[in-house]
Amino acid sequence: VLRALDHSHHSLESMSSNTGFRGKTVIITGASRGIGKAIGLRLAKDGANIVIAAKTTTPHPKLPGTIYTAAEEMEKAGGKALACVVDVRDEVSIQKCVNDTVAKFGGIDILINNASAISLTDTEKTDMKRYDLMHSINTRGTYLFTKLCLPHLIESARRGRNPHVLMNSPPLVMEPRHFAGHVAYTMAKVGMSMCVLGMAEDFKEYGIAVNAIWPLTVIWTAATDLFHPDNNGRGCRKVDIMSDAAYGMLSKPGGSYTGNFEIDETFLRKEGVTDFDKYAFYPGDSFMPDFMIDTTKYETFNSSKL
């Protein structure tokens, strides 16, 4: 056990020391709070330039954080920041963000497509306005943002800066049970994953990595709190597991590491991490699986202490 723990320690240290995120420019959609913000803070600690591309300019009554407060936090963590008011449904809005980023930081090295809209309603109860919102933000927004960043990612590759595109989207598991009950939402998230599948192949010639990251368990954020107001994080993990996994993925050489659909815990285990209690709000809890997760395949759900 000691050797395993020691290995875990060294592997995280080496992940930290070999990356070179200092001065790298990272655009993160939906980074004013939650997972997007956590990934930004993890990279900002290394001295990265973080662009918060989101639409929250004034505090939401139930969700804390704006693009400006997030930018302040990135700078306190050790990075540089740019707050961009972006609606990922709007091409002009995205292009302005891309132009402002390049004007301020000189290029774009990493794009994290994290922004999403969610409505867990069945077909009968999903009105088309809600359907269109999810598809225009999740699938179309991801496609469009990546497309508009592509010339700058190609330039980043030419300069040997290891460009990456990372989607917060699920593995491509085509099983009815994963779609039933919320067909519109699942379609829109799987659309993001299809971008990974195709773009990884499309961008190989440039050496641009395109990968997906997805949580094994429900991650507790202010948004989760809206869905489960009385839960207080029971059965959930902290955002840190996603930011640690994303950090490790973005550290990989993009020329050889592309087209992967990683689950946060599985990826970190491959990197030598053994202590997962630190990610739990309540160590020993039975965890709630996230969408598109087959619980029979993961020890985390089958060896719970409760």
Side-chain angles (χ1 to χ4, degrees):
V1 173
L2 275 177
R3 205 176 306 149
L5 286 172
D6 194 45
H7 175 51
S8 153
H9 171 73
H10 280 302
S11 117
L12 278 175
E13 285 302 308
S14 62
M15 264 166 58
S16 193
S17 57
N18 297 339
T19 55
F21 288 114
R22 179 165 301 283
K24 293 269 184 81
T25 299
V26 186
I27 296 181
I28 309 176
T29 68
S32 56
R33 58 178 77 97
I35 291 167
K37 188 175 89 169
I39 296 171
L41 288 169
R42 187 78 171 81
L43 297 169
K45 279 182 190 166
D46 274 17
N49 308 319
I50 309 295
V51 180
I52 296 102
K55 62 183 194 307
T56 309
T57 53
T58 54
H60 184 284
K62 292 181 182 170
L63 297 171
T66 68
I67 58 174
Y68 307 112
T69 57
E72 278 173 34
E73 287 184 56
M74 301 300 164
E75 298 199 329
K76 276 185 194 145
K80 291 184 177 145
L82 175 65
C84 285
V85 183
V86 178
D87 180 346
V88 299
R89 296 169 292 179
D90 177 28
E91 186 166 357
V92 174
S93 166
I94 297 173
Q95 190 64 63
K96 182 178 188 310
C97 172
V98 169
N99 295 348
D100 289 350
T101 299
V102 174
K104 185 172 173 78
F105 296 125
I108 298 166
D109 302 300
I110 296 168
L111 169 64
I112 300 174
N113 287 298
N114 169 70
S116 272
I118 180 169
S119 179
L120 302 179
T121 48
D122 63 21
T123 303
E124 195 179 0
K125 293 191 184 74
T126 305
D127 59 70
M128 291 316 289
K129 186 179 174 186
R130 182 67 50 177
Y131 176 98
D132 289 340
L133 179 76
M134 288 191 282
H135 281 259
S136 58
I137 290 175
N138 302 5
T139 305
R140 186 179 182 275
T142 293
Y143 183 92
L144 180 56
F145 222 123
T146 310
K147 175 181 164 64
L148 295 182
C149 285
L150 183 58
H152 304 287
L153 294 167
I154 292 170
E155 177 60 19
S156 173
R158 197 185 64 75
R159 292 164 59 196
R161 292 173 64 83
N162 194 29
H164 276 252
V165 180
L166 182 62
M167 323 300 191
N168 184 356
S169 69
L172 285 168
V173 187
M174 295 294 152
E175 292 180 16
R177 64 192 168 125
H178 292 312
F179 287 75
H182 36 75
V183 177
Y185 169 70
T186 312
M187 283 169 69
K189 286 304 282 188
V190 166
M192 293 173 72
S193 298
M194 286 179 165
C195 286
V196 174
L197 195 69
M199 289 172 178
E201 197 63 29
D202 270 354
F203 302 171
K204 249 185 197 165
E205 61 179 299
Y206 304 117
I208 299 167
V210 188
N211 295 294
I213 184 171
W214 192 245
L216 182 67
T217 71
V218 174
I219 302 294
W220 189 255
T221 64
T224 323
D225 194 27
L226 288 181
F227 287 102
H228 307 280
D230 303 319
N231 186 283
N232 295 319
R234 300 278 1 177
C236 299
R237 280 179 169 158
K238 302 170 185 173
V239 288
D240 308 39
I241 191 169
M242 284 290 279
S243 57
D244 282 357
Y247 183 96
M249 291 174 71
L250 297 168
S251 304
K252 300 278 186 197
S256 55
Y257 180 76
T258 191
N260 299 286
F261 294 85
E262 300 282 16
I263 301 295
D264 55 2
E265 181 186 313
T266 307
F267 175 82
L268 289 169
R269 284 192 186 282
K270 286 188 287 188
E271 295 296 300
V273 177
T274 54
D275 173 18
F276 287 88
D277 278 351
K278 65 182 177 184
Y279 296 123
F281 273 92
Y282 304 93
D285 258 10
S286 293
F287 289 110
M288 293 191 286
D290 211 307
F291 294 98
M292 311 290 276
I293 294 292
D294 180 350
T295 55
T296 63
K297 293 181 179 171
Y298 297 94
E299 197 184 316
T300 300
F301 303 108
N302 300 320
S303 62
S304 287
K305 302 178 186 76
L306 291 182

